[in-house]
Amino acid sequence: MKFLVVISVAMLAMASADVSEHQPVIVKQSQDISPDGSYSYSYETDNGISHSESGNPVVTDVRSAPVVVTQGQYQYTSPDGTPIKVTYVADHNGFQPQGEHIPVVSPLIQRALEYIRSHPPQSDQPNL
């Protein structure tokens, strides 16, 4: 009998824990899709998460299909309470996020990388 009471209490505790967990609710949402391929959307939840994005087709090469250039931002609060905000662009150069929490490459490393790019290895030099 005690075993049945313990199991019942445990099941009741699990059920009340499921009810107490708050599922985020979308409080604001919009979207627009145009015939030319451009679009935009945004949403915001009651727990502070938000995201907005827009994109436009851009012809980069007349021999290929247009590339959609996208820009947007999202924000949320991390588990430790830090507000996180990211802005980004995504285009033919890839996904390019920016945010205070994203590490930045030091100017010395950037200069070294630029030097390597501008001085490619010569094919007549022996491999070391």
Side-chain angles (χ1 to χ4, degrees):
M1 180 73 166
K2 289 181 186 178
F3 180 72
L4 185 59
V5 170
V6 170
I7 289 180
S8 298
V9 169
M11 290 178 69
L12 181 61
M14 288 177 17
S16 64
D18 288 342
V19 171
S20 66
E21 289 183 24
H22 173 71
Q23 294 295 318
V25 175
I26 295 175
V27 294
K28 189 171 158 184
Q29 180 176 358
S30 68
Q31 58 190 22
D32 181 41
I33 301 173
S34 299
D36 67 355
S38 62
Y39 70 93
S40 66
Y41 72 86
S42 65
Y43 64 85
E44 185 177 327
T45 63
D46 64 347
N47 65 352
I49 297 172
S50 67
H51 184 191
S52 63
E53 180 177 294
S54 63
N56 295 303
V58 176
V59 177
T60 57
D61 184 358
V62 294
R63 295 170 286 172
S64 63
V67 175
V68 176
V69 175
T70 302
Q71 51 190 334
Q73 67 87 27
Y74 58 89
Q75 59 188 28
Y76 61 94
T77 303
S78 71
D80 68 0
T82 305
I84 303 293
K85 181 173 183 179
V86 177
T87 59
Y88 61 89
V89 172
D91 58 15
H92 60 281
N93 293 318
F95 181 71
Q96 303 155 54
Q98 294 182 345
E100 290 184 18
H101 67 290
I102 299 173
V104 178
V105 177
S106 78
L108 291 175
I109 292 175
Q110 288 177 349
R111 195 169 76 186
L113 292 171
E114 184 55 40
Y115 178 84
I116 292 168
R117 276 190 214 102
S118 63
H119 296 84
Q122 302 297 319
S123 60
D124 59 335
Q125 292 181 349
N127 293 335
L128 300 176

